[in-house]
Amino acid sequence: MLNFSLPEAPSLAVLRSLAAQRILVLDGAMGTMIQALGMTEEDFTANGHIHGPGCRHQYHPDHPQKGNNDLLVLTQPQAVEDIQFQFAMAGADILETNTFSSTTIAQADYGLESAVYDLNVAGAQVARRAADRATREDGKPRFVAGAVGPTNRTASISPDVNDPGYRAVTFDDLRTAYGQQIDGLIAGGSDLILIETIFDTLNAKAAIFAAFESFAKAGRRLPLMISGTITDASGRTLSGQTPTAFWHSVAHARPFSVGLNCALGAAAMRPHMAEIASVATSLTCAYPNAGLPNAFGAYDETPDQTAAQVADFAREGIVNLVGGCCGTTPDHIRAIADAVASFPPRKVLA
Ligand SMILES: [Zn+2]
């Protein structure tokens, strides 16, 4: 029983009125931008000086941290802020926090479970600074979406072929982990909560439940953006749902937006987005990868190529928000923002 009676922050009235006027733009990929900086282990740990906001807590993980991109909000906050600022100036209205893997479940790979609250507080604060810096520059409002990833475990499928009843994680494990994350994202100043790259709807349901528990603690409600991913050509999520079934599984949360991200690039995403747009009574949101990864795991689509496909979504009237996932740079976001600017937003179903 989700409680919808809590108030929303007044700033969200601005977001809702903007969404009624035009297609809103999300930012692009943090991972590829970080990779391009070529940071070393010493950069990732700031030479071993890992501490939370205000230096309240010091962390001394015994695992290597190179590749733990979320850690950079503590150790290289200016680098993360500068990337988010570039996306904002390229035309993004909504900036995602760099917290995709900031749960105890995902941070266990790096021995940094104890840092998750600080990672989320700092992740939201860094994105907030980038957003406010862009607003000072051009006067346009910007919003921070606290990013909640799927974790690397699934609650509805067994990873052991010999034991189909086994689960590597339970609903309650996920609910607790997501709750810690969302508490931090709210405390750090997020405007929205974005539950993204959902491959297992049960994980997403745990995140939704946790979000409402966090809202109750905070005494206010943040709009939820819910974004699934399609994992194969049959057009289903990993837990086997069609786009229509996915919508019906999350509709009880009355999301601000529902849609798809990542997946197999924009062209492959189009029919599934059209299906969601035909059933969802919320706004719809699409932020595809820059095509399919090549043999080296990199993305070859140029900004114009990605933008032309996203513009097709807009022309067809199936999107209210667009942006980019893996492989999309500030140039991709600029091209996408320009390409959709002349199209009206999708009409929301009654
Ligand atoms: Zn992606």
Side-chain angles (χ1 to χ4, degrees), residues 22 29 32-33 56 221 331:
R22 63 176 173 85
T32 14
M33 298 294 288
R56 285 188 301 270
R221 190 159 56 88
D331 286 340

Side-chain angles (χ1 to χ4, degrees), residues 4-281:
F4 291 92
S5 64
L6 293 165
E8 275 189 2
S11 62
L12 294 166
V14 176
L15 178 69
R16 291 184 188 280
S17 91
L18 283 174
Q21 293 160 32
R22 63 176 173 85
I23 295 174
L24 298 181
V25 180
L26 256 81
D27 62 5
M30 180 57 72
T32 14
M33 298 294 288
I34 289 172
Q35 240 171 17
L37 298 175
M39 288 199 235
T40 62
E41 175 68 21
E42 290 67 38
D43 296 325
F44 269 89
T45 64
N47 297 307
H49 298 288
I50 304 175
H51 59 76
C55 299
R56 285 188 301 270
H57 301 105
Q58 298 274 348
Y59 301 101
H60 305 281
D62 48 14
H63 294 50
Q65 298 298 319
K66 191 176 169 184
N68 188 5
N69 286 353
D70 290 17
L71 178 59
L72 298 177
V73 301
L74 298 182
T75 54
Q76 304 290 342
Q78 194 61 50
V80 175
E81 181 191 319
D82 288 347
I83 293 169
Q84 288 167 330
F85 176 72
Q86 285 182 57
F87 278 121
M89 294 313 292
D93 302 293
I94 298 174
L95 302 180
E96 281 188 49
T97 59
N98 183 39
T99 54
F100 186 80
S101 301
S102 296
T103 54
T104 49
I105 294 169
Q107 285 297 317
D109 289 353
Y110 295 100
L112 269 176
E113 297 95 318
S114 59
V116 294
Y117 184 76
D118 280 348
L119 287 171
N120 288 289
V121 171
Q125 289 173 337
V126 168
R128 181 91 264 157
R129 283 203 295 275
D132 293 347
R133 189 171 142 202
T135 298
R136 280 197 302 277
E137 196 97 354
D138 63 16
K140 294 181 199 158
R142 301 288 192 312
F143 303 89
V144 171
V148 175
T151 83
N152 44 10
R153 293 183 214 167
T154 153
S156 59
I157 300 169
S158 174
D160 181 353
V161 290
N162 297 313
D163 186 1
Y166 173 74
R167 296 292 179 269
V169 71
T170 67
F171 184 93
D172 275 329
D173 296 337
L174 286 163
R175 170 187 166 192
T176 303
Y178 284 131
Q180 291 166 339
Q181 171 164 42
I182 295 167
D183 286 347
L185 290 170
I186 295 173
S190 299
D191 298 302
L192 309 111
I193 297 295
L194 167 60
I195 302 169
E196 65 177 347
T197 326
I198 298 159
F199 55 80
D200 182 344
T201 305
L202 191 55
N203 288 39
K205 281 175 176 284
I208 290 167
F209 196 87
F212 277 82
E213 290 184 313
S214 295
F215 299 162
K217 273 190 260 177
R220 65 198 166 88
R221 190 159 56 88
L222 277 61
L224 283 180
M225 300 176 70
I226 298 181
S227 185
T229 196
I230 301 286
T231 48
D232 67 53
S234 76
R236 287 169 188 261
T237 64
L238 187 67
S239 52
Q241 288 188 311
T242 62
T244 300
F246 174 64
W247 160 250
H248 288 297
S249 307
V250 299
H252 67 289
R254 301 184 207 167
F256 173 72
S257 70
V258 68
L260 297 172
N261 72 289
C262 209
L264 311 167
M269 184 185 279
R270 197 202 56 77
H272 312 305
M273 266 317 295
E275 187 179 331
I276 288 181
S278 73
V279 292
T281 54

Side-chain angles (χ1 to χ4, degrees), residues 261-263 289 299 325-326:
N261 72 289
C262 209
N289 291 347
Y299 294 84
C325 199
C326 306

